[in-house]
Amino acid sequence: MSVKVGRERQPLLEVKNLKQYFPMKGGILGRTLNYVRAVDGVSFDVYEGETLSIVGESGCGKSTTGRAILRLDEPTDGEIRFQGVDLAGLNHAEMRKMRKHLQVVFQDPYASLNPRQTVGRMLEEALGIAAVLPKAKWRERVIELLENVGLRADQAGRYPHEFSGGQRQRIGIARALAVEPKLVICDEAVSALDVSVQAQVLNLLKSLQQRFGLTYLFISHDLGVVNHISDRVMVMYLGKIVEIAEKSTLFENPCHPYTRALLSAIPVPGQEKEGERIILQGDVPSPLQPPSGCRFHTRCFMATERCKIAEPELRPMGEEHSVACHLV
Amino acid sequence: MGKWKIFYKRFAKRKTAVVGGVVIIIYLLVALLAPVLAPYDPLQIDLVHKLQLPSWIHWLGTDDKGRDILSRLIFGTQLSLSVGFVAVIIGAAIGVPLGLVSGYYGRWVDAVIMRIVDVLLAFPGILLALAIVSALGPSLTNVIIAVGIFSVPTFARIVRGSTLAIKRLEFVDAIRALGASDIKIIFGHILPNVLSPIIVQATLRLATAILTAAGLSFLGMGAQPPSPEWGAMLSNGRDFLWSAPHLAAFPGAAIATLVLGFNLFGDGLRDALDQRMN
């Protein structure tokens, strides 16, 4: 990895060759017939204090990657080094102790809060699990957490259904921050919100990052959102990384044909976009039987014979820019 | 709270459910106030006045040993209700944790628990209860145990199903990501969210439990004479079905109304709780 001048580049999280296969069972005996290769050997680093976004269509494995890092689903193979400790190698009890360092904010503001708990109870419970504060200080800390995310102290006694979607998402963020994590995985954290509320929550995430030195792994399908919040962007297609780069590099100089197709789909207000709008043909192939060679060749407008046979490696293109394509 | 109001409105819409609820309340009051309400000692034998028809002195008549049937029914309410409640509590106390664990852990834990439950479910309830009582010996306590055990699989099944649905919700993952123990997740977060189906099931199960217990006593496997248990009274009345039908008719009616009450109430609860309350 190249070292950037003027900024400490410490990988907080190193993911190496992560694989997540889900067995497809069938038949009377429940034999494993095949595997869904949701994530098929991805490697990347997340540096301390940065926001790395993962973008891609639904089903490309971006959320699965997040869940595997948190070990919400047990990864099939690979290393997940967090501050040098391989999370995938920890047993159940050791993993539980590590969990407070990695938190998650989910997409659905309705399903992500327990409907039977008041907000105050929810946050107190998180404090109890983290076990860093004496019980006498919980109340005070709950109020602080609520205020950090822009809610009022007097709302602590309310149940989730008494809040709006954006407020619920703020509660989810407060819960994640209660245990003072280093890395927060935002899994489509603003995708379910109205555009105006989206902006508010994104700005909140940004200001919290600055205040508490958080590192974000930001999973989204929305390139506008990604452009707003990211330092670096990683593009996934069918369980593989196709391109990873600094945000400005990726948006200005996308190399992979898939990235180019994605970016050409962003509407530009007020003008007919000059240049090509690349429209991909067909659907995403099934991760049960991914295409041979380059997984994107079935839909690629540049595909050659070689793409059908040989799988492209992720090759460095320049500083902090890697692409998996034979043709660039 | 607002939720309660919505629930009450939904529930009150079903008149039959309200009737069921009223029946249950009446029976509960009768059971609680039995010593005050009963005009006679339920065990007092009075052979001179045996097999009397209903009259102003004995409202529901007397049985073959001259005991006041009304007083016996009133005290029998205590027996039937406590058999029902204790049996259902036993069934839920075993079945609910089994269902939670089965649904939460899945895989082989689920497979093992559910196969055992399937075995229990394969028996008709009364047959299973009969087998258990035959093994343990006839007594009301053993009837409670038997009925409790045969309620286990239903609770386990229902709770497992609800657990499967709840554990997929993101808040469970969020709590897991915080580092909560499995025990805390299961009992602190999943259980409170599967309470509605448990309550509905418990109410409907009470009806079955009372009916089964009465059935076992009717067969002589449960409460033993002179205990004023409804099933035993019904069985006793069978010998006088032609000469003094009220001996069997009144306990039969008592069982029928209570069971009906629980069923109507349970159905109403299910309808009122089933839809997502928001």
Side-chain angles (χ1 to χ4, degrees):
Chain A
M1 276 300 152
S2 56
V3 176
K4 254 206 130 177
V5 192
R7 200 159 118 203
E8 195 71 21
R9 300 291 273 180
Q10 268 296 324
L12 180 69
L13 178 77
E14 298 158 83
V15 175
K16 287 193 186 119
N17 200 24
L18 182 69
K19 287 181 184 167
Q20 181 64 275
Y21 293 177
F22 295 109
M24 293 279 294
K25 308 255 184 190
I28 310 168
L29 299 172
R31 278 178 309 130
T32 301
L33 300 176
N34 205 342
Y35 290 95
V36 177
R37 300 175 185 194
V39 177
D40 203 2
V42 302
S43 304
F44 59 93
D45 293 344
V46 185
Y47 299 111
E48 195 146 8
E50 77 165 344
T51 301
L52 172 65
S53 290
I54 308 182
V55 291
E57 288 166 275
S58 8
C60 72
K62 52 192 195 301
S63 289
T64 312
T65 305
R67 292 181 61 87
I69 290 168
L70 294 162
R71 277 184 63 184
L72 289 174
D73 298 319
E74 291 298 324
T76 312
D77 194 22
E79 269 179 47
I80 304 159
R81 294 202 166 275
F82 180 81
Q83 295 187 311
V85 182
D86 182 14
L87 299 181
L90 298 181
N91 67 30
H92 204 67
E94 291 166 336
M95 184 62 206
R96 263 184 56 203
K97 287 198 191 110
M98 286 299 286
R99 283 195 181 282
K100 65 170 178 240
H101 301 305
L102 303 92
Q103 281 303 302
V104 57
V105 178
F106 286 108
Q107 170 174 17
D108 186 343
Y110 293 87
S112 58
L113 305 176
N114 185 346
R116 313 255 166 192
Q117 252 181 343
T118 64
V119 172
R121 257 309 283 132
M122 207 177 287
L123 296 177
E124 280 179 6
E125 184 174 35
L127 294 174
I129 294 166
V132 279
L133 271 185
K135 211 166 179 170
K137 297 229 170 127
W138 285 4
R139 197 70 221 157
E140 203 180 308
R141 174 81 173 126
V142 165
I143 291 167
E144 189 187 325
L145 283 165
L146 286 173
E147 283 168 355
N148 281 345
V149 297
L151 294 170
R152 296 191 316 272
D154 63 280
Q155 291 173 315
R158 298 202 188 159
Y159 285 88
H161 73 267
E162 299 172 67
F163 292 93
S164 69
Q167 286 175 319
R168 284 158 170 255
Q169 213 57 339
R170 287 169 190 268
I171 297 164
I173 295 168
R175 176 178 58 194
L177 296 186
V179 295
E180 294 170 28
K182 297 201 171 68
L183 176 74
V184 179
I185 298 184
C186 303
D187 187 354
E188 301 275 11
V190 297
S191 306
L193 306 175
D194 289 343
V195 177
S196 59
V197 183
Q198 251 184 13
Q200 290 170 12
V201 174
L202 282 177
N203 289 335
L204 172 69
L205 285 170
K206 267 190 164 176
S207 75
L208 291 170
Q209 179 170 40
Q210 280 172 2
R211 258 177 89 183
F212 301 111
L214 299 171
T215 306
Y216 289 145
L217 183 60
F218 195 89
I219 298 164
S220 179
H221 66 270
D222 185 332
L223 288 164
V225 167
V226 165
N227 193 5
H228 187 73
I229 199 162
S230 318
D231 296 313
R232 289 191 305 140
V233 181
M234 171 171 132
V235 183
M236 282 184 78
Y237 183 79
L238 261 188
K240 294 261 186 197
I241 300 175
V242 297
E243 184 160 6
I244 178 166
E246 294 272 334
K247 175 180 74 183
S248 53
T249 316
L250 191 107
F251 276 83
E252 281 153 29
N253 182 25
C255 288
H256 197 283
Y258 180 62
T259 316
R260 285 166 54 192
L262 281 185
L263 292 178
S264 81
I266 304 178
V268 179
Q271 68 178 73
E272 278 293 311
K273 201 175 177 186
E274 90 269 12
E276 80 298 30
R277 160 85 164 90
I278 306 164
I279 294 167
L280 294 177
Q281 302 300 319
D283 287 324
V284 185
S286 160
L288 268 171
Q289 272 136 6
S292 61
C294 174
R295 294 188 171 194
F296 185 54
H297 85 253
T298 53
R299 299 171 75 198
C300 184
F301 54 94
M302 290 164 64
T304 62
E305 276 308 307
R306 188 182 169 205
C307 302
K308 295 181 187 165
I309 304 154
E311 193 178 326
E313 293 285 314
L314 195 63
R315 286 176 300 124
M317 289 291 293
E319 208 181 327
E320 297 290 340
H321 189 178
S322 300
V323 182
C325 182
H326 294 305
L327 305 169
V328 291
Chain B
M1 224 176 69
K3 270 186 178 179
W4 280 107
K5 249 188 200 155
I6 297 168
F7 165 75
Y8 180 75
K9 259 191 180 165
R10 284 227 181 105
F11 184 79
K13 248 192 244 161
R14 300 242 332 201
K15 295 287 173 282
T16 50
V18 178
V19 170
V22 170
V23 168
I24 293 171
I25 290 169
I26 292 172
Y27 271 103
L28 280 172
L29 286 176
V30 166
L32 285 173
L33 303 174
V36 185
L37 293 176
Y40 297 93
D41 177 348
L43 300 180
Q44 184 61 55
I45 293 175
D46 179 6
L47 292 173
V48 182
H49 298 106
K50 68 174 183 178
L51 295 174
Q52 286 196 348
L53 287 174
S55 66
W56 284 114
I57 304 161
H58 294 285
W59 285 6
L60 301 182
T62 60
D63 70 2
D64 58 315
K65 295 187 181 63
R67 294 171 296 201
D68 180 54
I69 292 181
L70 178 62
S71 304
R72 287 176 67 71
L73 284 182
I74 288 173
F75 276 94
T77 311
Q78 288 184 330
L79 286 176
S80 279
L81 281 176
S82 44
V83 168
F85 277 111
V86 176
V88 166
I89 288 168
I90 292 175
I94 303 171
V96 169
L98 282 180
L100 285 169
V101 166
S102 195
Y104 182 73
Y105 288 106
R107 292 163 186 266
W108 66 268
V109 180
D110 183 36
V112 169
I113 292 176
M114 281 305 121
R115 287 308 78 75
I116 295 171
V117 163
D118 283 344
V119 170
L120 285 174
L121 272 179
F123 289 101
I126 187 89
L127 197 68
L128 184 66
L130 258 176
I132 296 168
V133 174
S134 321
L136 298 175
S139 81
L140 205 57
T141 319
N142 291 343
V143 166
I144 294 176
I145 294 171
V147 175
I149 289 175
F150 103 75
S151 298
V152 167
T154 342
F155 277 108
R157 272 272 171 208
I158 282 181
V159 171
R160 172 182 176 268
S162 309
T163 304
L164 283 177
I166 297 290
K167 83 163 178 180
R168 285 199 193 101
L169 296 180
E170 286 171 344
F171 78 82
V172 176
D173 280 332
I175 290 146
R176 205 142 68 88
L178 284 170
S181 64
D182 287 350
I183 301 256
K184 193 171 197 134
I185 298 171
I186 293 175
F187 291 99
H189 293 274
I190 295 181
L191 180 60
N193 284 289
V194 300
L195 272 184
S196 331
I198 293 176
I199 291 168
V200 172
Q201 191 53 34
T203 318
L204 295 173
R205 222 47 218 171
L206 268 166
T208 322
I210 288 167
L211 200 59
T212 311
L216 287 172
S217 294
F218 179 82
L219 296 172
M221 311 292 280
Q224 300 300 315
S227 156
E229 208 278 339
W230 295 346
M233 287 170 68
L234 192 65
S235 170
N236 184 42
R238 198 178 37 163
D239 300 334
F240 306 92
L241 218 47
W242 294 109
S243 52
H246 64 280
L247 258 64
F250 289 126
I255 296 169
T257 28
L258 181 56
V259 169
L260 186 69
F262 273 117
N263 273 322
L264 292 177
F265 184 68
D267 282 344
L269 269 187
R270 189 180 50 206
D271 290 351
L273 289 172
D274 241 16
Q275 290 127 318
R276 275 253 148 258
M277 291 199 300
N278 249 332

